PDB file of all heavy atoms in Angstrom:
ATOM      1  N   THR A   1      36.704 149.521  74.133  1.00 90.00           N
ATOM      2  CA  THR A   1      36.225 148.763  72.984  1.00 90.00           C
ATOM      3  C   THR A   1      37.463 148.097  72.326  1.00 90.00           C
ATOM      4  O   THR A   1      37.854 147.034  72.741  1.00 90.00           O
ATOM      5  CB  THR A   1      35.462 149.661  71.952  1.00 90.00           C
ATOM      6  OG1 THR A   1      36.256 150.830  71.693  1.00 90.00           O
ATOM      7  CG2 THR A   1      34.174 150.096  72.508  1.00 90.00           C
ATOM      8  N   THR A   2      38.117 148.773  71.384  1.00 90.00           N
ATOM      9  CA  THR A   2      39.351 148.190  70.861  1.00 90.00           C
ATOM     10  C   THR A   2      40.574 148.609  71.606  1.00 90.00           C
ATOM     11  O   THR A   2      41.703 148.319  71.185  1.00 90.00           O
ATOM     12  CB  THR A   2      39.509 148.581  69.327  1.00 90.00           C
ATOM     13  OG1 THR A   2      39.544 150.015  69.230  1.00 90.00           O
ATOM     14  CG2 THR A   2      38.382 148.036  68.520  1.00 90.00           C
ATOM     15  N   ASP A   3      40.372 149.309  72.704  1.00 94.00           N
ATOM     16  CA  ASP A   3      41.509 149.648  73.585  1.00 94.00           C
ATOM     17  C   ASP A   3      42.192 148.359  74.031  1.00 94.00           C
ATOM     18  O   ASP A   3      41.570 147.361  74.257  1.00 94.00           O
ATOM     19  CB  ASP A   3      41.019 150.406  74.793  1.00 94.00           C
ATOM     20  CG  ASP A   3      40.161 151.622  74.473  1.00 94.00           C
ATOM     21  OD1 ASP A   3      39.103 151.468  73.893  1.00 94.00           O
ATOM     22  OD2 ASP A   3      40.597 152.718  74.855  1.00 94.00           O
ATOM     23  N   THR A   4      43.524 148.531  74.237  1.00 95.00           N
ATOM     24  CA  THR A   4      44.266 147.366  74.705  1.00 95.00           C
ATOM     25  C   THR A   4      44.643 147.480  76.204  1.00 95.00           C
ATOM     26  O   THR A   4      45.149 146.550  76.803  1.00 95.00           O
ATOM     27  CB  THR A   4      45.523 147.097  73.892  1.00 95.00           C
ATOM     28  OG1 THR A   4      46.492 148.156  74.147  1.00 95.00           O
ATOM     29  CG2 THR A   4      45.230 146.994  72.422  1.00 95.00           C
ATOM     30  N   PHE A   5      44.446 148.682  76.778  1.00 97.00           N
ATOM     31  CA  PHE A   5      44.714 148.892  78.207  1.00 97.00           C
ATOM     32  C   PHE A   5      43.817 150.031  78.715  1.00 97.00           C
ATOM     33  O   PHE A   5      43.430 150.926  77.948  1.00 97.00           O
ATOM     34  CB  PHE A   5      46.191 149.248  78.421  1.00 97.00           C
ATOM     35  CG  PHE A   5      46.678 150.484  77.794  1.00 97.00           C
ATOM     36  CD1 PHE A   5      46.584 151.701  78.432  1.00 97.00           C
ATOM     37  CD2 PHE A   5      47.336 150.425  76.548  1.00 97.00           C
ATOM     38  CE1 PHE A   5      47.100 152.851  77.815  1.00 97.00           C
ATOM     39  CE2 PHE A   5      47.806 151.611  75.940  1.00 97.00           C
ATOM     40  CZ  PHE A   5      47.665 152.785  76.585  1.00 97.00           C
ATOM     41  N   PRO A   6      43.429 149.894  80.015  1.00 97.00           N
ATOM     42  CA  PRO A   6      42.636 150.996  80.561  1.00 97.00           C
ATOM     43  C   PRO A   6      43.442 152.236  80.770  1.00 97.00           C
ATOM     44  O   PRO A   6      44.676 152.179  81.065  1.00 97.00           O
ATOM     45  CB  PRO A   6      42.211 150.417  81.938  1.00 97.00           C
ATOM     46  CG  PRO A   6      43.259 149.393  82.263  1.00 97.00           C
ATOM     47  CD  PRO A   6      43.760 148.809  80.932  1.00 97.00           C
ATOM     48  N   LYS A   7      42.858 153.386  80.587  1.00 98.00           N
ATOM     49  CA  LYS A   7      43.552 154.668  80.623  1.00 98.00           C
ATOM     50  C   LYS A   7      43.068 155.468  81.821  1.00 98.00           C
ATOM     51  O   LYS A   7      41.889 155.891  81.850  1.00 98.00           O
ATOM     52  CB  LYS A   7      43.322 155.425  79.305  1.00 98.00           C
ATOM     53  CG  LYS A   7      43.827 154.621  78.078  1.00 98.00           C
ATOM     54  CD  LYS A   7      43.300 155.177  76.813  1.00 98.00           C
ATOM     55  CE  LYS A   7      43.750 154.304  75.641  1.00 98.00           C
ATOM     56  NZ  LYS A   7      43.203 152.944  75.693  1.00 98.00           N
ATOM     57  N   VAL A   8      43.963 155.706  82.745  1.00 98.00           N
ATOM     58  CA  VAL A   8      43.584 156.454  83.943  1.00 98.00           C
ATOM     59  C   VAL A   8      44.727 157.468  84.249  1.00 98.00           C
ATOM     60  O   VAL A   8      45.872 157.287  83.876  1.00 98.00           O
ATOM     61  CB  VAL A   8      43.390 155.567  85.161  1.00 98.00           C
ATOM     62  CG1 VAL A   8      42.136 154.697  84.991  1.00 98.00           C
ATOM     63  CG2 VAL A   8      44.593 154.738  85.462  1.00 98.00           C
ATOM     64  N   ALA A   9      44.354 158.504  84.966  1.00 98.00           N
ATOM     65  CA  ALA A   9      45.348 159.517  85.440  1.00 98.00           C
ATOM     66  C   ALA A   9      44.804 160.190  86.689  1.00 98.00           C
ATOM     67  O   ALA A   9      43.588 160.269  86.881  1.00 98.00           O
ATOM     68  CB  ALA A   9      45.631 160.547  84.330  1.00 98.00           C
ATOM     69  N   THR A  10      45.713 160.678  87.513  1.00 98.00           N
ATOM     70  CA  THR A  10      45.277 161.312  88.767  1.00 98.00           C
ATOM     71  C   THR A  10      46.283 162.428  89.129  1.00 98.00           C
ATOM     72  O   THR A  10      47.394 162.352  88.772  1.00 98.00           O
ATOM     73  CB  THR A  10      45.173 160.279  89.894  1.00 98.00           C
ATOM     74  OG1 THR A  10      44.595 160.919  91.050  1.00 98.00           O
ATOM     75  CG2 THR A  10      46.464 159.671  90.264  1.00 98.00           C
ATOM     76  N   ALA A  11      45.813 163.347  89.939  1.00 98.00           N
ATOM     77  CA  ALA A  11      46.669 164.447  90.436  1.00 98.00           C
ATOM     78  C   ALA A  11      46.065 164.938  91.726  1.00 98.00           C
ATOM     79  O   ALA A  11      44.834 164.907  91.948  1.00 98.00           O
ATOM     80  CB  ALA A  11      46.749 165.582  89.417  1.00 98.00           C
ATOM     81  N   THR A  12      46.950 165.331  92.616  1.00 98.00           N
ATOM     82  CA  THR A  12      46.534 165.896  93.917  1.00 98.00           C
ATOM     83  C   THR A  12      47.197 167.294  94.006  1.00 98.00           C
ATOM     84  O   THR A  12      48.400 167.439  93.677  1.00 98.00           O
ATOM     85  CB  THR A  12      46.994 165.087  95.088  1.00 98.00           C
ATOM     86  OG1 THR A  12      46.413 163.774  94.994  1.00 98.00           O
ATOM     87  CG2 THR A  12      46.576 165.650  96.439  1.00 98.00           C
ATOM     88  N   VAL A  13      46.429 168.306  94.400  1.00 98.00           N
ATOM     89  CA  VAL A  13      46.928 169.651  94.365  1.00 98.00           C
ATOM     90  C   VAL A  13      46.282 170.435  95.478  1.00 98.00           C
ATOM     91  O   VAL A  13      45.167 170.046  95.991  1.00 98.00           O
ATOM     92  CB  VAL A  13      46.696 170.306  93.011  1.00 98.00           C
ATOM     93  CG1 VAL A  13      45.173 170.460  92.739  1.00 98.00           C
ATOM     94  CG2 VAL A  13      47.377 171.605  92.818  1.00 98.00           C
ATOM     95  N   LYS A  14      46.854 171.549  95.890  1.00 97.00           N
ATOM     96  CA  LYS A  14      46.241 172.386  96.928  1.00 97.00           C
ATOM     97  C   LYS A  14      45.287 173.426  96.220  1.00 97.00           C
ATOM     98  O   LYS A  14      45.598 174.005  95.223  1.00 97.00           O
ATOM     99  CB  LYS A  14      47.335 173.142  97.683  1.00 97.00           C
ATOM    100  CG  LYS A  14      48.137 172.360  98.672  1.00 97.00           C
ATOM    101  CD  LYS A  14      47.278 172.005  99.886  1.00 97.00           C
ATOM    102  CE  LYS A  14      48.113 171.354 100.990  1.00 97.00           C
ATOM    103  NZ  LYS A  14      49.041 172.284 101.630  1.00 97.00           N
ATOM    104  N   LEU A  15      44.131 173.554  96.839  1.00 98.00           N
ATOM    105  CA  LEU A  15      43.187 174.622  96.462  1.00 98.00           C
ATOM    106  C   LEU A  15      42.973 175.374  97.745  1.00 98.00           C
ATOM    107  O   LEU A  15      42.360 174.891  98.684  1.00 98.00           O
ATOM    108  CB  LEU A  15      41.879 174.038  95.926  1.00 98.00           C
ATOM    109  CG  LEU A  15      40.846 175.030  95.449  1.00 98.00           C
ATOM    110  CD1 LEU A  15      41.415 175.860  94.330  1.00 98.00           C
ATOM    111  CD2 LEU A  15      39.541 174.313  95.016  1.00 98.00           C
ATOM    112  N   GLY A  16      43.466 176.620  97.766  1.00 94.00           N
ATOM    113  CA  GLY A  16      43.575 177.343  99.032  1.00 94.00           C
ATOM    114  C   GLY A  16      44.609 176.574  99.886  1.00 94.00           C
ATOM    115  O   GLY A  16      45.686 176.304  99.470  1.00 94.00           O
ATOM    116  N   LYS A  17      44.207 176.217 101.095  1.00 93.00           N
ATOM    117  CA  LYS A  17      45.040 175.458 101.986  1.00 93.00           C
ATOM    118  C   LYS A  17      44.667 173.975 102.081  1.00 93.00           C
ATOM    119  O   LYS A  17      45.251 173.229 102.819  1.00 93.00           O
ATOM    120  CB  LYS A  17      45.081 176.048 103.363  1.00 93.00           C
ATOM    121  CG  LYS A  17      45.703 177.433 103.404  1.00 93.00           C
ATOM    122  CD  LYS A  17      45.704 178.028 104.791  1.00 93.00           C
ATOM    123  CE  LYS A  17      46.350 179.404 104.856  1.00 93.00           C
ATOM    124  NZ  LYS A  17      46.381 179.957 106.211  1.00 93.00           N
ATOM    125  N   ALA A  18      43.630 173.581 101.288  1.00 97.00           N
ATOM    126  CA  ALA A  18      43.163 172.228 101.352  1.00 97.00           C
ATOM    127  C   ALA A  18      43.623 171.381 100.174  1.00 97.00           C
ATOM    128  O   ALA A  18      43.880 171.893  99.075  1.00 97.00           O
ATOM    129  CB  ALA A  18      41.601 172.243 101.367  1.00 97.00           C
ATOM    130  N   LYS A  19      43.766 170.105 100.400  1.00 98.00           N
ATOM    131  CA  LYS A  19      44.134 169.171  99.340  1.00 98.00           C
ATOM    132  C   LYS A  19      42.927 168.728  98.571  1.00 98.00           C
ATOM    133  O   LYS A  19      41.924 168.368  99.150  1.00 98.00           O
ATOM    134  CB  LYS A  19      44.843 167.944  99.933  1.00 98.00           C
ATOM    135  CG  LYS A  19      45.370 166.970  98.902  1.00 98.00           C
ATOM    136  CD  LYS A  19      46.090 165.813  99.528  1.00 98.00           C
ATOM    137  CE  LYS A  19      45.082 164.832 100.232  1.00 98.00           C
ATOM    138  NZ  LYS A  19      45.737 163.606 100.713  1.00 98.00           N
ATOM    139  N   VAL A  20      42.986 168.757  97.209  1.00 98.00           N
ATOM    140  CA  VAL A  20      41.922 168.248  96.378  1.00 98.00           C
ATOM    141  C   VAL A  20      42.494 167.282  95.390  1.00 98.00           C
ATOM    142  O   VAL A  20      43.704 167.259  95.125  1.00 98.00           O
ATOM    143  CB  VAL A  20      41.203 169.400  95.634  1.00 98.00           C
ATOM    144  CG1 VAL A  20      40.500 170.352  96.595  1.00 98.00           C
ATOM    145  CG2 VAL A  20      42.128 170.155  94.740  1.00 98.00           C
ATOM    146  N   THR A  21      41.635 166.396  94.895  1.00 98.00           N
ATOM    147  CA  THR A  21      42.070 165.354  94.016  1.00 98.00           C
ATOM    148  C   THR A  21      41.360 165.415  92.675  1.00 98.00           C
ATOM    149  O   THR A  21      40.193 165.821  92.634  1.00 98.00           O
ATOM    150  CB  THR A  21      41.818 163.939  94.604  1.00 98.00           C
ATOM    151  OG1 THR A  21      42.450 163.899  95.908  1.00 98.00           O
ATOM    152  CG2 THR A  21      42.293 162.812  93.768  1.00 98.00           C
ATOM    153  N   ILE A  22      42.062 165.076  91.634  1.00 98.00           N
ATOM    154  CA  ILE A  22      41.485 164.998  90.279  1.00 98.00           C
ATOM    155  C   ILE A  22      41.772 163.631  89.765  1.00 98.00           C
ATOM    156  O   ILE A  22      42.898 163.199  89.673  1.00 98.00           O
ATOM    157  CB  ILE A  22      42.080 166.049  89.332  1.00 98.00           C
ATOM    158  CG1 ILE A  22      42.022 167.485  89.928  1.00 98.00           C
ATOM    159  CG2 ILE A  22      41.410 166.009  87.965  1.00 98.00           C
ATOM    160  CD1 ILE A  22      42.929 168.447  89.211  1.00 98.00           C
ATOM    161  N   ASN A  23      40.723 162.885  89.389  1.00 98.00           N
ATOM    162  CA  ASN A  23      40.859 161.600  88.732  1.00 98.00           C
ATOM    163  C   ASN A  23      40.233 161.637  87.356  1.00 98.00           C
ATOM    164  O   ASN A  23      39.251 162.271  87.143  1.00 98.00           O
ATOM    165  CB  ASN A  23      40.115 160.499  89.543  1.00 98.00           C
ATOM    166  CG  ASN A  23      40.941 160.020  90.710  1.00 98.00           C
ATOM    167  OD1 ASN A  23      42.024 160.507  91.007  1.00 98.00           O
ATOM    168  ND2 ASN A  23      40.365 159.092  91.496  1.00 98.00           N
ATOM    169  N   GLY A  24      40.897 160.926  86.425  1.00 98.00           N
ATOM    170  CA  GLY A  24      40.336 160.865  85.060  1.00 98.00           C
ATOM    171  C   GLY A  24      40.469 159.521  84.489  1.00 98.00           C
ATOM    172  O   GLY A  24      41.385 158.742  84.852  1.00 98.00           O
ATOM    173  N   MET A  25      39.608 159.178  83.534  1.00 98.00           N
ATOM    174  CA  MET A  25      39.696 157.981  82.719  1.00 98.00           C
ATOM    175  C   MET A  25      39.311 158.297  81.292  1.00 98.00           C
ATOM    176  O   MET A  25      38.581 159.297  81.032  1.00 98.00           O
ATOM    177  CB  MET A  25      38.793 156.870  83.295  1.00 98.00           C
ATOM    178  CG  MET A  25      37.326 157.144  83.113  1.00 98.00           C
ATOM    179  SD  MET A  25      36.267 155.865  83.887  1.00 98.00           S
ATOM    180  CE  MET A  25      36.323 156.369  85.606  1.00 98.00           C
ATOM    181  N   ALA A  26      39.796 157.504  80.369  1.00 97.00           N
ATOM    182  CA  ALA A  26      39.445 157.716  78.963  1.00 97.00           C
ATOM    183  C   ALA A  26      39.439 156.396  78.222  1.00 97.00           C
ATOM    184  O   ALA A  26      40.016 155.429  78.704  1.00 97.00           O
ATOM    185  CB  ALA A  26      40.477 158.681  78.299  1.00 97.00           C
ATOM    186  N   LYS A  27      38.728 156.415  77.077  1.00 96.00           N
ATOM    187  CA  LYS A  27      38.830 155.254  76.202  1.00 96.00           C
ATOM    188  C   LYS A  27      38.994 155.826  74.794  1.00 96.00           C
ATOM    189  O   LYS A  27      38.497 156.883  74.424  1.00 96.00           O
ATOM    190  CB  LYS A  27      37.626 154.369  76.321  1.00 96.00           C
ATOM    191  CG  LYS A  27      36.316 154.917  75.876  1.00 96.00           C
ATOM    192  CD  LYS A  27      35.998 154.892  74.374  1.00 96.00           C
ATOM    193  CE  LYS A  27      36.254 153.497  73.825  1.00 96.00           C
ATOM    194  NZ  LYS A  27      36.066 153.595  72.278  1.00 96.00           N
ATOM    195  N   GLY A  28      39.665 155.065  73.953  1.00 92.00           N
ATOM    196  CA  GLY A  28      39.799 155.454  72.591  1.00 92.00           C
ATOM    197  C   GLY A  28      41.059 154.838  72.009  1.00 92.00           C
ATOM    198  O   GLY A  28      42.128 154.797  72.648  1.00 92.00           O
ATOM    199  N   ALA A  29      40.971 154.309  70.770  1.00 88.00           N
ATOM    200  CA  ALA A  29      42.060 153.726  70.115  1.00 88.00           C
ATOM    201  C   ALA A  29      41.944 153.860  68.587  1.00 88.00           C
ATOM    202  O   ALA A  29      42.939 153.864  67.824  1.00 88.00           O
ATOM    203  CB  ALA A  29      42.217 152.228  70.417  1.00 88.00           C
ATOM    204  N   GLY A  30      40.720 154.038  68.061  1.00 87.00           N
ATOM    205  CA  GLY A  30      40.444 154.264  66.649  1.00 87.00           C
ATOM    206  C   GLY A  30      39.323 155.239  66.475  1.00 87.00           C
ATOM    207  O   GLY A  30      38.608 155.569  67.417  1.00 87.00           O
ATOM    208  N   MET A  31      39.179 155.726  65.263  1.00 85.00           N
ATOM    209  CA  MET A  31      38.237 156.815  64.957  1.00 85.00           C
ATOM    210  C   MET A  31      38.566 157.986  65.839  1.00 85.00           C
ATOM    211  O   MET A  31      37.717 158.549  66.560  1.00 85.00           O
ATOM    212  CB  MET A  31      36.755 156.435  65.125  1.00 85.00           C
ATOM    213  CG  MET A  31      35.757 157.354  64.349  1.00 85.00           C
ATOM    214  SD  MET A  31      34.035 156.941  64.594  1.00 85.00           S
ATOM    215  CE  MET A  31      33.912 155.427  63.685  1.00 85.00           C
ATOM    216  N   ILE A  32      39.845 158.401  65.823  1.00 85.00           N
ATOM    217  CA  ILE A  32      40.342 159.380  66.717  1.00 85.00           C
ATOM    218  C   ILE A  32      40.913 160.610  65.961  1.00 85.00           C
ATOM    219  O   ILE A  32      41.967 160.546  65.346  1.00 85.00           O
ATOM    220  CB  ILE A  32      41.472 158.831  67.619  1.00 85.00           C
ATOM    221  CG1 ILE A  32      41.017 157.567  68.337  1.00 85.00           C
ATOM    222  CG2 ILE A  32      41.945 159.945  68.595  1.00 85.00           C
ATOM    223  CD1 ILE A  32      39.861 157.755  69.300  1.00 85.00           C
ATOM    224  N   ALA A  33      40.179 161.704  66.003  1.00 89.00           N
ATOM    225  CA  ALA A  33      40.632 163.011  65.562  1.00 89.00           C
ATOM    226  C   ALA A  33      39.714 163.975  66.234  1.00 89.00           C
ATOM    227  O   ALA A  33      38.810 164.551  65.653  1.00 89.00           O
ATOM    228  CB  ALA A  33      40.554 163.164  64.055  1.00 89.00           C
ATOM    229  N   PRO A  34      39.880 164.157  67.598  1.00 85.00           N
ATOM    230  CA  PRO A  34      38.894 164.890  68.370  1.00 85.00           C
ATOM    231  C   PRO A  34      38.730 166.371  67.862  1.00 85.00           C
ATOM    232  O   PRO A  34      39.617 166.924  67.275  1.00 85.00           O
ATOM    233  CB  PRO A  34      39.582 164.888  69.799  1.00 85.00           C
ATOM    234  CG  PRO A  34      40.442 163.695  69.758  1.00 85.00           C
ATOM    235  CD  PRO A  34      40.969 163.582  68.379  1.00 85.00           C
ATOM    236  N   ASP A  35      37.572 166.868  68.171  1.00 84.00           N
ATOM    237  CA  ASP A  35      37.258 168.228  67.801  1.00 84.00           C
ATOM    238  C   ASP A  35      36.414 168.792  68.935  1.00 84.00           C
ATOM    239  O   ASP A  35      35.191 168.660  69.007  1.00 84.00           O
ATOM    240  CB  ASP A  35      36.426 168.272  66.485  1.00 84.00           C
ATOM    241  CG  ASP A  35      36.398 169.633  65.858  1.00 84.00           C
ATOM    242  OD1 ASP A  35      36.927 170.568  66.512  1.00 84.00           O
ATOM    243  OD2 ASP A  35      35.927 169.771  64.776  1.00 84.00           O
ATOM    244  N   MET A  36      37.027 169.446  69.879  1.00 79.00           N
ATOM    245  CA  MET A  36      36.462 170.007  71.109  1.00 79.00           C
ATOM    246  C   MET A  36      36.164 168.935  72.189  1.00 79.00           C
ATOM    247  O   MET A  36      35.606 169.231  73.212  1.00 79.00           O
ATOM    248  CB  MET A  36      35.177 170.789  70.815  1.00 79.00           C
ATOM    249  CG  MET A  36      35.426 172.116  70.150  1.00 79.00           C
ATOM    250  SD  MET A  36      36.631 173.130  70.997  1.00 79.00           S
ATOM    251  CE  MET A  36      35.844 173.426  72.557  1.00 79.00           C
TER     252      MET A  36
END
C-alpha cells in the first residue's frame, strides 16, 4: 500500500539430512505497532 519497496526474505537449512527452504514476504509502512 504505502510501502516503498517489496519486502522478501529467504533461508535454506537442513532438516534431518534434507534441504528445506523458507520464503517470506511482508507489507507494512504505517499503522505499525504489532501485537502477536
Side-chain angles (χ1 to χ4, degrees):
T1 50
T2 58
D3 306 63
T4 69
F5 61 87
K7 301 165 182 64
V8 294
T10 186
T12 301
V13 66
K14 286 286 188 70
L15 183 60
K17 295 182 179 181
K19 183 179 73 172
V20 297
T21 303
I22 306 166
N23 281 359
M25 68 182 82
K27 67 81 51 186
M31 200 183 289
I32 306 298
D35 196 354
M36 287 308 296

